[in-house]
């Protein structure tokens, strides 16, 4: 796993936190810049559903309200083991996509 600063070089996008109108467009832009096939992992209760802030007027909800999510990691906070398991699961999906094409 290599952390890259440019979405054009990324296969996996890990998103934590809620989505609001201000960061929704940025999230869409980052997602659209990633090459196919791509994988999105929503981490934590906030990333999955909006968490305790889901009823706030400026919160749209989880990441899946803006971009498609492949793997969800529940928890508040999410356990490190669960995050690692999600990355391995996601990479397995990505490998399956690559092998099918």
């Amino acid at each position: 796993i290599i952390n890259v600063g440019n979405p054009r070089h990324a296969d996996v996008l890990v998103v934590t936190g809620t989505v609001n109108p201000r960061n929704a467009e940025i999230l869409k832009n980052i997602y659209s810049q990633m090459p196919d096939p791509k994988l999105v992992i929503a981490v934590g209760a906030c990333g999955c559903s909006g968490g305790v802030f889901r009823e706030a007027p400026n919160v749209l909800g989880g990441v899946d309200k803006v971009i498609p999510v492949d793997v969800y990691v529940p928890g508040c906070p999410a356990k490190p083991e669960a995050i690692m398991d999600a990355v391995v699961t996601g990479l397995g999906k990505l490998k399956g996509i690559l092998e099918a094409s």
Side-chain angles (χ1 to χ4, degrees):
I1 297 175
I2 299 171
N3 186 11
V4 295
N6 188 338
R8 289 182 176 93
H9 301 171
D11 299 319
V12 180
L13 176 62
V14 179
V15 185
T16 62
T18 59
V19 178
N20 60 48
R22 207 167 168 184
N23 66 13
E25 287 303 314
I26 296 167
L27 191 57
K28 286 179 194 175
N29 287 339
I30 291 171
Y31 181 77
S32 68
Q33 291 174 15
M34 293 174 64
D36 287 327
K38 49 192 158 195
L39 177 73
V40 177
I41 301 174
V43 178
C46 290
C48 291
S49 66
V52 297
F53 305 106
R54 67 182 168 273
E55 299 297 326
N58 66 328
V59 173
L60 300 177
V63 177
D64 58 0
K65 301 292 185 196
V66 178
I67 58 175
V69 174
D70 299 292
V71 182
Y72 295 89
V73 183
C76 184
K79 293 183 177 183
E81 297 86 0
I83 298 170
M84 289 188 299
D85 187 46
V87 170
V88 169
T89 300
L91 291 176
K93 286 184 176 185
L94 203 58
K95 184 179 178 186
I97 293 169
L98 291 172
E99 289 174 352
S101 54

